[in-house]
Amino acid sequence: MWYLYGFVLLAGVANAVQAGQNGALSKGLDESLTAGLVVVAGTATCILLVGVLSGKLAWPTSAQALAMPWWAWFGGILGGGIILAQFVVARQIGAAPFLGLLVTAGVVTSILLDNFGWVGFERHPASLWRILGGCLMVGGVALVALF
């Protein structure tokens, strides 16, 4: 299972690098939304290739599609919002504050999602230690952004 943590760490590195790449792409093109389409095309190509090569790519059946909660279909919109934030904000405030805010907001939100069992997560109570960890992240991001 350790390799899963390694994969997530690599994804975190990629997230930091991608913010700079996307900002440069956005700056180099006439319209930042065009850059967004380039990024989405790259994302779709990556997922398609991995899906085809692994044999784990299949369209949902109509029964699966109807059984899905309505809100489950909108993750791509949220992902698009993250990409737009990279285009608009990351180059202006810097990689460290951008990624620090992104990750901290994600951790604080995940504590709430876990506590209440929202959007399909198992319930994990917001213990004092989890809340303290979220507060430490907020403080750490403040230090990175200020200095």
Side-chain angles (χ1 to χ4, degrees):
M1 182 142 146
W2 62 269
Y3 63 91
L4 296 176
Y5 292 103
F7 187 68
V8 172
L9 288 172
L10 288 175
V13 170
N15 196 15
V17 172
Q18 182 191 28
Q21 290 175 314
N22 288 350
L25 184 65
S26 177
K27 185 178 179 184
L29 298 175
D30 290 336
E31 299 292 334
S32 61
L33 295 180
T34 304
L37 290 176
V38 171
V39 172
V40 169
T43 301
T45 301
C46 177
I47 292 171
L48 180 64
L49 283 173
V50 170
V52 168
L53 293 174
S54 68
K56 297 190 179 284
L57 186 67
W59 293 107
T61 65
S62 57
Q64 288 172 323
L66 291 172
M68 199 75 54
W70 66 269
W71 44 263
W73 295 100
F74 295 100
I77 293 171
L78 297 178
I82 294 168
I83 292 170
L84 287 172
Q86 291 173 346
F87 291 148
V88 175
V89 179
R91 288 180 54 93
Q92 294 178 21
I93 67 172
F98 176 81
L99 201 58
L101 287 168
L102 188 74
V103 170
T104 300
V107 168
V108 171
T109 301
S110 70
I111 292 169
L112 289 170
L113 294 174
D114 281 350
N115 185 64
F116 295 107
W118 290 337
V119 295
F121 287 103
E122 296 291 324
R123 290 196 68 197
H124 298 280
S127 67
L128 174 65
W129 293 111
R130 287 180 136 211
I131 293 169
L132 179 61
C135 290
L136 288 171
M137 289 193 73
V138 169
V141 168
L143 289 173
V144 168
L146 291 172
F147 303 103

